[in-house]
Amino acid sequence: MKKNVNFYCACSQAAGSAKFIKHIQQKNLLIIKNGIDLDKFMYDETKRRELRVKLKIDENCLVIGHVGRFSYEKNHDFLIDVFYEIVKQLNNVKLILVGKGPTENMIKRKVKKFGLESKVIFYGEIKNVCNCLQIMDVFVFPSKFEGLGIACIEAQATGLNCFVSDKCPADLKITDLTHFLPLAIGATNWAENIIRQGKHKRRWSRTDELLKAGYDIDTTAKFIRNLYLK
C-alpha cells in the first residue's frame, strides 16, 4: 500500500495503533474526528418530558442508557450485571438499550432470568438517537474494545454523565462528564459509581465544548475536503 497511499487516517489514536505499523503511528497518522451535527444534540427539557410521557416513565425515575450494536465488544452482558446491582438499591430505575445485533436474544434471556423485564426497554434501531438521549440521566458504555465510540461523544453533547470502560480510547474524554472505570472492578463498583453520579441531573448540553474539540460535522467535512485538495 505505501507506494500508493498519501495519508494514513484513523478516528482515534487507538484505532490507528491497531491498524498501522509503529512508524506510521508516530510520523504519518492523521486523526480525522467523527464529526456530528451538534445542533441535533442540544439538550431539550421539553422534548425530554414529552418522550418520557410517551414511554410512561415518570420524571423522578433514574434512566440509564446505552447506544450500540448488540455484539461481543459492546459488552451488554456486563451492562446487565451492573443494572441488576443498581436495581438492588433503587426501585424507580429503567435501562434503555438502543440497537440491534446478534447477541440481542441472549441479552433478552438474561434480562428475563434476572426478572428485569419491566425495567429494561429494548428500543431497537432508530435514526433519531438524539431524541432517545434526551430521556436518559446516565450513559453507560462498558465496551471490551472500541476504535472510538461515537455514541459516547453524542451522549456528552447532550450533557449526559458517561461511565466508560477503561478499554475505550482516551480520546473519548472531551468533557468532564466522562468517567473511565476499569472493567476489572466488577459490576457492584460500577453500580455504586453510577448511582452516586445519577443524583446530579443535567441542565444543559455541552455542544460548545465538542465544537472547540473539533467534533462538529462541518469542521470534519472541511478538513476532509482540504485533504483531498492536497
Side-chain angles (χ1 to χ4, degrees):
M1 281 178 60
K2 59 184 179 182
K3 291 183 179 180
N4 302 303
V5 172
N6 296 96
F7 304 103
Y8 296 88
C9 306
C11 62
S12 70
Q13 191 65 46
S17 297
K19 296 298 180 182
F20 301 124
I21 61 174
K22 188 171 288 187
H23 174 76
I24 292 171
Q25 296 170 33
Q26 293 173 343
K27 295 188 176 181
N28 301 102
L29 182 64
L30 282 177
I31 303 301
I32 299 181
K33 295 177 179 178
N34 284 354
I36 62 176
D37 187 346
L38 293 175
D39 289 339
K40 290 182 178 180
F41 290 90
M42 296 285 289
Y43 178 52
D44 189 329
E45 184 73 33
T46 301
K47 187 174 289 184
R48 170 189 170 88
R49 285 196 296 267
E50 289 174 352
L51 292 170
R52 282 198 169 213
V53 169
K54 186 176 180 180
L55 288 174
K56 298 180 180 178
I57 300 173
D58 69 78
E59 186 52 37
N60 295 320
C61 180
L62 176 65
V63 177
I64 296 160
H66 178 272
V67 177
R69 184 170 181 265
F70 279 83
S71 55
Y72 167 80
E73 70 275 11
K74 296 298 182 182
N75 208 9
H76 287 84
D77 190 51
F78 180 75
L79 178 55
I80 299 303
D81 288 337
V82 172
F83 186 64
Y84 183 60
E85 294 299 323
I86 291 172
V87 170
K88 288 179 182 178
Q89 300 185 52
L90 298 177
N91 182 50
N92 197 11
V93 60
K94 297 276 188 183
L95 174 63
I96 292 181
L97 301 175
V98 180
K100 302 286 285 185
T103 64
E104 183 177 358
N105 287 334
M106 180 189 78
I107 297 304
K108 285 181 175 178
R109 288 194 295 270
K110 183 165 185 173
V111 166
K112 185 176 182 180
K113 176 183 175 183
F114 284 1
L116 299 172
E117 299 102 312
S118 65
K119 293 185 177 294
V120 179
I121 299 171
F122 288 87
Y123 213 82
E125 281 184 327
I126 55 173
K127 293 182 179 180
N128 55 342
V129 171
C130 50
N131 286 344
C132 196
L133 290 172
Q134 304 287 349
I135 305 168
M136 302 172 188
D137 296 303
V138 181
F139 189 84
V140 183
F141 205 62
S143 299
K144 294 184 178 182
F145 55 87
E146 287 284 347
L148 179 62
I150 190 67
C152 187
I153 292 174
E154 293 171 342
Q156 288 178 77
T158 65
L160 280 169
N161 271 297
C162 301
F163 289 88
V164 183
S165 158
D166 62 342
K167 304 299 182 182
C168 294
D171 309 53
L172 275 184
K173 189 172 179 63
I174 302 168
T175 71
D176 61 2
L177 296 170
T178 305
H179 313 282
F180 285 98
L181 295 175
L183 290 174
I185 66 174
T188 301
N189 284 313
W190 272 65
E192 289 174 357
N193 277 275
I194 292 166
I195 291 170
R196 188 161 55 245
Q197 195 63 48
K199 297 175 183 177
H200 303 286
K201 304 292 184 180
R202 62 178 166 173
R203 289 291 177 262
W204 55 81
S205 54
R206 295 293 189 89
T207 51
D208 287 349
E209 291 176 57
L210 268 75
L211 179 63
K212 289 178 183 177
Y215 280 93
D216 171 59
I217 194 168
D218 292 329
T219 302
T220 299
K222 182 179 179 181
F223 181 88
I224 293 173
R225 282 198 300 270
N226 290 337
L227 196 62
Y228 274 90
L229 290 172
K230 290 184 178 181

